[in-house]
Amino acid sequence: MTMQTKSIELPRLDARAVAVFEHALSQGSLKRRTPGAPDAPDVPATLGLTPEEAEEACRTLLLLRLLRPAPGSPGELIPVSPDAAAAEAVGPLEAQVAQAAAHAHSVREDLRSLMPHYRAARRERDHRQGVDVLPDLAAASALLTEESARCREEVFSIQPGGGRAAHRLGDAIERDLAMLGRGVRMRTLYQHSARASLSTQGYVETLTEAGAEYRTAAELPDRAVVFDRSVAFLPRRTDGGPGEGAVLVRNPDVVAYLCRVFDQHWSGATPFRGGSGAAYKEVGTSLRRALVGLLAEGAKDEVIARRMGMSLRTCRRHIAELLEELGAESRFQGGALAERAGLTGEG
């Protein structure tokens, strides 16, 4: 239903209208030059108003209900209490505003009632386009478990950052062992910093004995899990969020791209077999090379730590050890000495 209301417009008081009102207050009333002509007040010349200005001021006062005809005397206007005038003049306007606000609220509720239809249509469209948005960790974990149960040939994952939390590994181990038991090939990429995590070392050792393969690299792209090269899980990063949810991707071109990214990083990564003796010894050269490269770029410690999956404290310790090993007194000198030592090139 369309709401149609006549707009109420009230003038604003100006100095001329105030002067005329004060004159009416002082005299008790305001005489009209011609009875029945409401806009022709008889005001003294001392107010400094032209007849046109006096008429406009009188018209303003009448619209604001500050003047009204005296009962039984059409040629006389009497002043009205501003409180009474406000109630009479502004009351209808306030009622109109309240009615408009109620109408706006009703329209807003009508529009909001369509949101479930919009969300359902968007989910259906995303599904047809090969993308499903999983809004939180619970939804992502449930569908990840479902897809792992369907997996028959291969699963690979990219896990940047340091070692994974023990409770996360505990949740995953039964699911992963079930896939390995069905003959599924399982490969995982970690960053070198994961080698320092005792929980990750133990997990890798257990799963390696069951047939899984693990490698580490200095730097990795964002997290990803791909089943049978047909379904991929990516972190949900909309608006810079923490990635607690996920995006399930079935689009063949996107999944094929992720497979190429994984294969490229896998081919250059270092095998990780788990166990207490497999910390940084096997990746010392790669780790130093990555540190030197980032230092040469002028990256700050915080950026280096994030890109290498380390805590800031661990990152600074590695940088200090590297500079000490090179005998450098500054980062700039360290870069020059590293280049001479062959730590800045490939290989």
Side-chain angles (χ1 to χ4, degrees):
M1 184 174 109
T2 302
M3 185 186 76
Q4 294 183 346
T5 57
K6 185 177 179 180
S7 177
I8 299 174
E9 294 185 6
L10 294 174
R12 299 296 302 275
L13 276 174
D14 57 19
R16 296 165 183 167
V18 171
V20 172
F21 183 67
E22 289 177 343
H23 173 70
L25 289 173
S26 67
Q27 299 299 314
S29 66
L30 184 66
K31 304 294 184 179
R32 297 177 177 176
R33 289 197 187 101
T34 304
D39 298 336
D42 185 12
V43 297
T46 54
L47 293 183
L49 301 178
T50 66
E52 293 78 14
E53 291 173 339
E55 289 180 9
E56 182 63 29
C58 186
R59 187 177 299 112
T60 296
L61 294 172
L62 286 167
L63 289 171
L64 292 176
R65 309 296 194 272
L66 287 168
L67 290 179
R68 68 174 54 182
S73 180
E76 187 176 7
L77 299 173
I78 57 175
V80 178
S81 162
D83 285 341
E88 185 178 353
V90 181
L93 180 61
E94 291 175 335
Q96 187 182 78
V97 170
Q99 184 181 7
H103 181 69
H105 177 75
S106 298
V107 172
R108 182 179 290 110
E109 291 303 309
D110 288 343
L111 295 176
R112 285 177 173 172
S113 70
L114 297 176
M115 280 305 298
H117 304 281
Y118 173 80
R119 294 192 184 101
R122 184 168 181 176
R123 283 195 299 269
E124 179 61 26
R125 184 177 68 249
D126 289 344
H127 184 75
R128 289 197 304 267
Q129 293 174 349
V131 176
D132 285 322
V133 177
L134 310 174
D136 52 40
L137 187 60
S141 180
L143 201 51
L144 190 69
T145 299
E146 185 177 321
E147 290 297 333
S148 68
R150 292 176 181 160
C151 185
R152 289 295 176 266
E153 296 181 6
E154 176 189 17
V155 58
F156 64 75
S157 61
I158 301 174
Q159 299 288 347
R164 297 170 67 190
H167 72 277
R168 292 283 179 85
L169 294 174
D171 294 339
I173 191 166
E174 184 176 346
R175 180 182 63 206
D176 293 346
L177 287 173
M179 283 191 288
L180 291 168
R182 296 196 305 269
V184 173
R185 185 186 184 191
M186 180 179 297
R187 293 182 293 165
T188 302
L189 276 170
Y190 287 114
Q191 284 187 265
H192 290 330
S193 54
R195 293 172 177 259
S197 166
L198 293 178
S199 60
T200 303
Q201 289 179 21
Y203 171 81
V204 167
E205 187 172 24
T206 299
L207 271 292
T208 298
E209 292 176 356
E213 302 170 68
Y214 295 88
R215 293 185 183 183
T216 63
E219 292 188 71
L220 290 174
D222 211 342
R223 186 176 297 109
V225 181
V226 179
F227 295 97
D228 288 334
R229 295 186 175 254
S230 60
V231 179
F233 286 80
L234 301 175
R236 189 183 182 199
R237 303 287 190 196
T238 304
D239 299 326
E244 286 299 322
V247 179
L248 189 151
V249 180
R250 295 186 179 88
N251 183 283
D253 293 321
V254 176
V255 175
Y257 171 78
L258 292 171
C259 292
R260 290 195 298 272
V261 169
F262 177 85
D263 290 338
Q264 182 179 7
H265 282 83
W266 181 263
S267 65
T270 304
F272 178 23
R273 287 171 283 274
S276 59
Y280 287 115
K281 295 181 180 179
E282 300 178 24
V283 295
T285 301
S286 175
L287 188 66
R288 289 197 300 274
R289 196 183 305 281
L291 279 172
V292 169
L294 291 169
L295 288 172
E297 292 175 8
K300 296 182 178 179
D301 291 355
E302 293 80 359
V303 174
I304 297 174
R306 184 174 66 253
R307 288 178 59 175
M308 301 198 68
M310 300 177 178
S311 68
L312 183 59
R313 180 179 179 181
T314 300
C315 175
R316 286 173 172 164
R317 176 170 57 81
H318 280 295
I319 293 173
E321 290 174 354
L322 176 62
L323 295 179
E324 183 179 359
E325 178 183 335
L326 294 170
E329 297 180 358
S330 67
R331 293 187 177 200
F332 178 79
Q333 185 184 19
L337 294 174
E339 185 174 1
R340 293 178 194 172
L343 287 177
T344 58
E346 296 296 330

